[in-house]
Amino acid sequence: MSFKFTVSGVVPATPMAVYDAWLNSKAHGAMTGTKAKASKKVGGKWSASDDYCYGVNLELVPGKKIVQSWRSTDFADDDKDSRISLNLKPVKDGTRLTLLHSSIPESQADSGYKEGWMDYYFEPMKKYFEALSVRRTVQPGRRPKPKKAAARRKK
């Protein structure tokens, strides 16, 4: 018997930005605050959370979907890999991420993975993309002009 669950949330970024960050070692690590190795190829190996979890890319649809085999160091040697499917959908405030984690071995049913996805991925991803957004709107060494001053100049 295997288990599955779904988690969902919105991050303030385009689907392509989320897709690219997930599959980029440096960006993935920055999003989660841990060491990560990523691949942009189907069949490519990946690892995350300081090598706590790892697997292989099974399906990649740029800006739309990432499917990976997934296992953690908590899996028994004879446990089969589980699977994550991350769907990316544009919404008003960014991208709705919907992650289906399936084929979780019975031995891992009470593992806390569902909460882990929220605590170690979705929440940190929101902060990561919010910080990127702020950096893009304010150039280093320059303060944004007050809106009132800009409006007065137009008169």
Side-chain angles (χ1 to χ4, degrees), residues 46-147:
W46 65 269
S47 66
S49 300
D50 298 325
D51 295 327
Y52 169 72
C53 54
Y54 53 95
V56 174
N57 294 331
L58 302 173
E59 180 183 352
L60 301 173
V61 181
K64 295 184 181 193
K65 187 176 191 178
I66 298 169
V67 179
Q68 298 174 316
S69 67
W70 191 98
R71 69 184 296 117
S72 76
T73 55
D74 295 330
F75 279 37
D77 289 342
D78 60 346
D79 285 337
K80 292 184 179 179
D81 291 354
S82 65
R83 175 182 286 224
I84 60 168
S85 179
L86 182 68
N87 290 294
L88 312 166
K89 182 179 180 185
V91 294
K92 181 182 175 191
D93 297 329
T95 299
R96 172 161 300 281
L97 308 172
T98 303
L99 184 136
L100 170 63
H101 194 159
S102 61
S103 302
I104 300 167
E106 189 172 350
S107 65
Q108 298 297 302
D110 296 323
S111 61
Y113 292 139
K114 187 172 187 175
E115 295 79 12
W117 282 111
M118 295 307 293
D119 295 344
Y120 300 110
Y121 269 82
F122 283 44
E123 290 304 317
M125 287 173 72
K126 285 180 191 176
K127 291 176 184 171
Y128 171 81
F129 284 110
E130 285 168 355
L132 280 182
S133 177
V134 168
R135 278 184 262 169
R136 286 188 182 126
T137 59
V138 178
Q139 295 175 356
R142 299 185 75 195
R143 293 187 354 205
K145 295 177 183 173
K147 290 182 182 179

